[in-house]
Amino acid sequence: MSSKYLNPMASIVPGYEYDIFISYRQKDNKGDRWVSEFVEALKTELESTFKEEISVYFDINPHDGLLETHDVNASLKEKLKCLVFVPIISQTYCDSKSFAWQNELVAFNKMAKEDLFGRDIRLSGGNVASRILSIKINDLDPEDKTLLENELGGILRSIDFIYKSAGVNRPLRANEDHPQDNLNKTYYRDQINKVANAVKEIITAIGKHNRQDGEISKEVFNLKPEKQKNLKPKIIIVSVIVLALIILGYFFIPKLFNSSKQVDKSIAVLPFRLLSNEPDKQYLADGMMEAILLHLQKFKDLRVLDRTSVEQYRETKKTTYVIGQELGVTYLLEGSFQKAGDSVRLDVHLIYAKKQSTKWGNEYNKNWKDNFAVQSEVAQTIARELHITITPEVKQLVEKIPTTNLTAYDFYQRGREEYTKYWIDKYNTGVLQKDVLQKAEDLYRKALKNDSTYAKAYTGLARAYWDKHYFQEYFSENFMDSVLILTNHALSFDNQLSEAHTLRGTYYSEIGKPEQAIEEFDNAIQLNPNDWMAYLGKGDLYYSYTDLVKCIDNYQKAASINRGPELPTLLWQIGSAYSSAGFPEKSKYYYQEELKLDGDSSNYYWNLAGYEFYLRNVDKSIEFEVKGYAIDSTYYGILYSIGRNYSWLGKDKESLKYFKKYYERLKTQEALTTGGMHRIGYAYWQNGYKEEAEYYFNEQIKYGNRMNELKRPGGIGLNTYYDLAGVYAFRGEKDKAYKNLRIYNQSQAINLVMLILIKSDPLFNNIRNEPEFQQIVKDLEAKYQAEHERVRKWLEDQGKS
């Protein structure tokens, strides 16, 4: 192996050949030998970054059958067993027929996903980084970029060594003749340092993972971690023990010092398999599975994924190791079920996903009337196996029998199955299957006909009513009163039913009673610490009333429990909260994670448009919005945003063109609100259509006053007091404008988007220079700065910044 340039020592992690593998096309190392120079510089930088010696594999011999030939042997496969894979991405690298692409990049990508640590590593700060650390030395053609991103499974993230000037697209050199002419404003020395630091972050995270005494869940986001406790020894250790610890060394000490830090205890309950060939009985197996899942969710120290998170694995051929990695859980519960007459057979296995080994299993052969006792027994046994504390209060909850009427229970399970189908279809396809929702409602009613005290059936009926009538009743004074009545009935029969508290919290949130809503959500979480919808409800409330620390924290908790079709939306909400707090780079990260999951490039472009808007790059924002609309014209909300942005730039004809398109689409949809009409009115006014403008202004006033009377959320994300103030200010009705602005200033906190709006909103041009308006802007800016600082400090405390 003398023909290779590499460090002779093995990886610092046992079982791996090298710490770093450099992959490149031989064409990119001819002439000025850019790749060789990069490796030399990186090696030097690594020496000053790591205490340990870092091994680097770099093949400099083009004639040994390992680069531009296709002779793949075992030796190369062994060398690919590295911690960090560094591809040099050039104009020639993205060639699916090349050796480097097929036998290095693609091979490592597959290998890393299946090895001990996985391809993506959670860093100490909570973010996730790929072990493929891309170095880009040329701007890529669109088709090459698409090829690369398809292989990597997401947006290309790279450290760029590119010198860019007029007509120039080449690798950045260590010693540039005219560095100030580089349009990218990057310097070789700084970029080398970034690579070394990125390598250190990844290898450090792998080292911690390797030393952890249990699985660390691989997550796209992180929960609020426990603060590190000071574990300095307070006793004198005898010399023999000290000597033993020194000998045991590096891998033992972290365990000692982390002994009180609880290993992540997390589980997903996979869909139970029906043993008999009777598809019409699948709902019974699903009901058994969900009941056990709901019992497990009541244990405070156990993170339990929601049912929708596991539906994707109903017919899977994936291994338990892969499923555990994808869901970010330590344990999986597998089961099979059969019911013949009144006899029931249940076979369950608790799997340690990382090792694909069975930690516990049992077979139950019982009478159907004993199924509630079996569900409780399985859940409590799992808790004991995982050393979870079973308090008397939780034991009582888990052992509670929901109904003594098995006919009512059967109807409820059928209704629950129909509702789950409706819910998953809604998120996966965007289609509301109203007939399926009606079936669920009918079955819940049949359950109540057989047992009028069945609390869960009342809650099921309330949820179905909410989804069925939400739009119809939105502007009604009696909005969702039926839901309140049904949840009150449910809680009168079982006041420890978490889902009823969650739904009642959602009701209070919608009618403008935040304190009561928070109380209900907290009640739900007390009963079910894994109720993702309660965390989501709290996050939404804190967003509306701008406590963005609590908002983000609750959104992240919801996302840690739900890995189902709702997850992309949850990631988008986290990103939006970071945008509102003035952290656009954080928001962009979550938008990219959302894109990885749902592949919705149209929505991603819209998110990028918002990102650029926050940076005051309105032209760039419009560019992304137009791209998004070209991909998916069904999302007409983008039209509104394009119209508003053109208005901001003073391009009134373009603004009106898009607003007209928006309004035409609005009329053909089941639109929830007619908020934002004043923007359309302004566009008409600026184009000389005064009569049409007044119509839209009046529509906005009617809408705003009605919304404020009902204490409902504002349309299209803007507060209605603010919108009314804009209309009155433009019309010259200053008293009314200031009245609404004062209410907004006093009753609402502020976020970045609203601060940007009020500073540049053309509707306020008539009063912009007046002392009272300027003072209101100053007040709002002070509130925003205070909130931004709170979030910054929180991030710092959490180690996320």
Side-chain angles (χ1 to χ4, degrees):
M1 299 303 293
S2 59
S3 62
K4 310 293 184 296
Y5 170 82
L6 50 87
N7 293 17
M9 78 290 294
S11 168
I12 62 175
V13 174
Y16 287 80
E17 288 293 308
Y18 296 96
D19 296 311
I20 301 172
F21 185 105
I22 307 293
S23 172
Y24 69 105
R25 291 295 299 273
Q26 187 65 27
K27 298 175 182 179
D28 295 320
N29 203 31
K30 293 182 177 180
D32 61 4
R33 301 185 67 77
W34 190 94
V35 182
S36 294
E37 185 179 36
F38 165 81
V39 174
E40 287 287 355
L42 177 60
K43 185 171 180 289
T44 300
E45 191 71 19
L46 290 170
E47 287 175 354
S48 61
T49 305
F50 284 86
K51 295 182 179 71
E52 307 90 343
E53 287 292 324
I54 299 301
S55 58
V56 180
Y57 178 83
F58 171 51
D59 187 337
I60 60 171
N61 189 341
H63 306 297
D64 62 357
L66 288 179
L67 267 177
E68 297 297 346
T69 72
H70 293 269
D71 179 17
V72 186
N73 55 35
S75 68
L76 177 60
K77 292 179 181 178
E78 284 299 307
K79 293 175 180 65
L80 279 174
K81 289 182 180 178
C82 62
L83 301 181
V84 183
F85 181 87
V86 179
I88 309 299
I89 307 298
S90 65
Q91 291 175 315
T92 67
Y93 191 89
C94 298
D95 179 357
S96 61
K97 297 179 182 179
S98 75
F99 182 89
W101 178 276
Q102 279 290 349
N103 299 297
E104 293 179 357
L105 175 67
V106 173
F108 177 83
N109 194 29
K110 182 176 184 296
M111 184 187 301
K113 289 178 180 178
E114 296 173 354
D115 78 2
L116 178 65
F117 305 118
R119 190 196 68 181
D120 300 325
I121 293 293
R122 190 173 68 192
L123 305 179
S124 60
N127 291 331
V128 171
S130 173
R131 285 166 57 197
I132 299 177
L133 179 58
S134 298
I135 305 300
K136 193 166 65 160
I137 62 174
N138 296 112
D139 283 338
L140 303 179
D141 294 333
E143 57 269 25
D144 289 340
K145 185 179 179 185
T146 299
L147 176 68
L148 184 57
E149 289 181 341
N150 286 341
E151 175 60 32
L152 297 178
I155 298 295
L156 171 62
R157 296 176 184 169
S158 60
I159 297 176
D160 293 351
F161 287 74
I162 301 173
Y163 186 95
K164 194 75 179 289
S165 63
V168 176
N169 174 23
R170 64 168 172 78
L172 182 67
R173 298 191 187 103
N175 297 299
E176 288 290 348
D177 296 331
H178 304 286
Q180 69 278 2
D181 295 336
N182 182 7
L183 297 178
N184 288 334
K185 303 299 180 187
T186 51
Y187 297 92
Y188 189 92
R189 178 68 179 79
D190 292 344
Q191 298 304 92
I192 287 288
N193 181 254
K194 287 181 183 178
V195 177
N197 289 335
V199 169
K200 183 176 182 180
E201 277 196 295
I202 295 170
I203 291 180
T204 300
I206 290 172
K208 289 181 179 178
H209 189 303
N210 191 45
R211 298 192 298 271
Q212 183 68 38
D213 189 25
E215 180 73 357
I216 298 178
S217 61
K218 187 180 75 174
E219 301 180 17
V220 175
F221 38 76
N222 60 297
L223 287 175
K224 179 177 179 180
E226 298 174 11
K227 290 185 178 179
Q228 186 68 37
K229 297 178 180 178
N230 185 353
L231 298 179
K232 291 182 180 178
K234 295 184 178 179
I235 59 174
I236 298 175
I237 305 176
V238 295
S239 59
V240 175
I241 298 178
V242 172
L243 180 60
L245 288 177
I246 292 172
I247 293 171
L248 287 173
Y250 182 76
F251 291 101
F252 180 82
I253 292 174
K255 292 182 181 180
L256 174 66
F257 277 71
N258 286 322
S259 60
S260 67
K261 184 177 181 180
Q262 190 173 10
V263 175
D264 174 47
K265 294 179 181 178
S266 52
I267 188 170
V269 183
L270 300 179
F272 285 3
R273 190 164 50 90
L274 188 66
L275 292 173
S276 61
N277 187 23
E278 300 171 282
D280 59 321
K281 288 186 177 179
Q282 181 62 50
Y283 75 95
L284 294 172
D286 293 339
M288 181 68 75
M289 163 260 192
E290 187 170 31
I292 293 170
L293 183 155
L294 290 171
H295 284 329
L296 289 170
Q297 285 189 324
K298 296 176 175 67
F299 297 109
K300 185 177 181 181
D301 296 329
L302 184 62
R303 182 167 62 88
V304 186
L305 297 198
D306 185 78
R307 176 178 172 181
T308 60
S309 304
V310 298
E311 280 297 315
Q312 58 186 305
Y313 301 105
R314 185 172 288 277
E315 302 294 337
T316 190
K317 294 181 180 178
K318 293 179 178 180
T319 64
T320 53
Y321 173 80
V322 171
I323 296 172
Q325 288 286 302
E326 291 180 352
L327 291 177
V329 295
T330 311
Y331 297 97
L332 300 171
L333 183 69
E334 294 183 323
S336 55
F337 175 88
Q338 183 176 15
K339 182 176 183 291
D342 288 333
S343 297
V344 173
R345 175 188 169 188
L346 175 66
D347 192 12
V348 288
H349 296 275
L350 180 64
I351 309 296
Y352 182 35
K354 180 179 178 180
K355 295 186 177 179
Q356 302 188 83
S357 59
T358 300
K359 184 174 179 62
W360 167 81
N362 200 8
E363 180 180 316
Y364 299 86
N365 292 283
K366 299 284 186 179
N367 190 284
W368 179 234
K369 65 181 175 60
D370 298 321
N371 77 94
F372 298 126
V374 172
Q375 295 163 4
S376 173
E377 183 181 337
V378 171
Q380 292 188 70
T381 302
I382 291 170
R384 285 190 289 270
E385 288 290 330
L386 300 183
H387 307 291
I388 301 293
T389 301
I390 304 175
T391 65
E393 294 80 11
V394 171
K395 183 176 177 65
Q396 181 184 12
L397 284 175
V398 171
E399 292 179 351
K400 182 178 290 185
I401 295 175
T403 179
T404 57
N405 188 309
L406 292 179
T407 302
Y409 177 72
D410 187 79
F411 279 124
Y412 172 79
Q413 287 302 331
R414 294 185 188 204
R416 179 66 181 161
E417 247 349 76
E418 294 297 328
Y419 183 80
T420 300
K421 289 178 191 174
Y422 162 82
W423 181 268
I424 292 175
D425 280 346
K426 179 174 75 169
Y427 272 92
N428 279 338
T429 67
V431 177
L432 301 180
Q433 301 284 358
K434 295 182 179 179
D435 58 330
V436 177
L437 186 61
Q438 185 61 52
K439 285 181 186 177
E441 181 182 332
D442 293 342
L443 288 163
Y444 287 142
R445 292 187 185 280
K446 289 180 179 179
L448 289 170
K449 187 175 180 181
N450 283 275
D451 181 358
S452 61
T453 67
Y454 196 173
K456 279 181 171 288
Y458 280 112
T459 306
L461 193 59
R463 177 62 66 185
Y465 186 93
W466 183 281
D467 288 350
K468 186 177 179 181
H469 299 287
Y470 181 86
F471 293 99
Q472 299 169 9
E473 295 189 8
Y474 193 78
F475 291 102
S476 168
E477 292 182 1
N478 300 317
F479 172 76
M480 293 290 125
D481 280 359
S482 296
V483 170
L484 181 62
I485 292 169
L486 288 166
T487 52
N488 286 344
H489 270 307
L491 290 169
S492 70
F493 296 116
D494 182 359
N495 64 0
Q496 295 180 312
L497 190 59
S498 65
E499 60 206 66
H501 284 291
T502 297
L503 191 48
R504 199 158 68 171
T506 307
Y507 167 80
Y508 285 130
S509 178
E510 287 278 352
I511 65 170
K513 295 184 177 181
E515 293 84 3
Q516 289 171 267
I518 291 293
E519 182 181 354
E520 291 295 336
F521 290 137
D522 284 341
N523 287 338
I525 292 167
Q526 181 69 28
L527 295 164
N528 179 358
N530 288 280
D531 189 337
W532 76 273
M533 295 189 76
Y535 290 117
L536 173 62
K538 288 182 71 175
D540 287 344
L541 265 177
Y542 286 127
Y543 185 88
S544 298
Y545 294 90
T546 318
D547 185 336
L548 292 174
V549 169
K550 291 181 179 178
C551 167
I552 295 168
D553 189 41
N554 278 281
Y555 280 162
Q556 289 181 326
K557 286 175 180 175
S560 74
I561 299 164
N562 190 309
R563 299 297 183 87
E566 304 91 344
L567 182 56
T569 301
L570 291 171
L571 294 177
W572 173 80
Q573 287 176 284
I574 297 171
S576 296
Y578 273 121
S579 288
S580 295
F583 294 88
E585 290 301 324
K586 281 278 187 184
S587 68
K588 190 175 183 179
Y589 167 78
Y590 283 97
Y591 296 153
Q592 289 172 339
E593 296 303 323
E594 175 197 1
L595 177 64
K596 288 180 184 178
L597 292 177
D598 64 12
D600 188 346
S601 54
S602 174
N603 191 53
Y604 178 63
Y605 277 127
W606 199 41
N607 291 335
L608 289 183
Y611 168 83
E612 295 295 340
F613 183 77
Y614 294 134
L615 298 177
R616 281 74 162 178
N617 300 328
V618 181
D619 282 313
K620 193 69 175 177
S621 178
I622 292 173
E623 179 186 331
F624 283 127
E625 288 166 341
V626 171
K627 285 182 178 179
Y629 187 68
I631 295 171
D632 182 5
S633 61
T634 62
Y635 191 41
Y636 59 91
I638 296 181
L639 294 170
Y640 176 89
S641 188
I642 297 173
R644 182 202 62 190
N645 282 346
Y646 273 126
S647 176
W648 248 247
L649 294 176
K651 297 181 179 180
D652 299 315
K653 288 184 179 179
E654 289 295 311
S655 173
L656 183 58
K657 181 178 79 171
Y658 280 96
F659 274 135
K660 282 182 175 180
K661 289 182 180 180
Y662 165 74
Y663 191 67
E664 287 303 313
R665 294 294 303 278
L666 190 70
K667 290 192 297 185
T668 64
Q669 306 292 323
E670 289 187 28
L672 176 61
T673 72
T674 55
M677 293 297 102
H678 58 314
R679 301 288 172 195
I680 302 176
Y682 178 79
Y684 272 106
W685 185 280
Q686 292 299 101
N687 281 278
Y689 301 103
K690 311 292 170 120
E691 186 175 340
E692 290 86 346
E694 285 298 327
Y695 166 78
Y696 287 105
F697 286 144
N698 289 329
E699 285 296 300
Q700 182 65 38
I701 289 171
K702 281 190 263 182
Y703 163 79
N705 287 334
R706 182 61 177 158
M707 292 287 280
N708 289 336
E709 286 172 13
L710 296 172
K711 296 183 179 180
R712 312 309 303 281
I716 318 184
L718 300 182
N719 183 275
T720 51
Y721 289 112
Y722 175 89
D723 294 341
L724 286 171
V727 175
Y728 289 130
F730 183 76
R731 282 180 161 182
E733 300 179 62
K734 294 183 182 180
D735 290 343
K736 292 181 179 178
Y738 282 123
K739 177 184 176 182
N740 281 280
L741 278 176
R742 289 185 203 111
I743 295 172
Y744 175 74
N745 189 20
Q746 293 167 5
S747 64
Q748 298 288 319
I750 189 69
N751 58 48
L752 180 57
V753 65
M754 295 304 295
L755 187 61
I756 294 172
L757 286 175
I758 199 167
K759 283 185 171 183
S760 54
D761 195 334
L763 291 172
F764 291 107
N765 285 346
N766 289 339
I767 62 173
R768 186 167 305 284
N769 295 323
E770 295 184 2
E772 183 171 3
F773 182 82
Q774 291 181 350
Q775 185 59 51
I776 288 172
V777 172
K778 287 180 181 178
D779 291 345
L780 295 175
E781 185 159 24
K783 289 182 181 181
Y784 161 71
Q785 291 295 345
E787 191 63 22
H788 175 84
E789 181 60 20
R790 284 184 67 245
V791 175
R792 187 200 64 76
K793 189 175 185 307
W794 177 72
L795 285 170
E796 188 178 87
D797 291 343
Q798 306 307 305
K800 298 178 184 177
S801 57

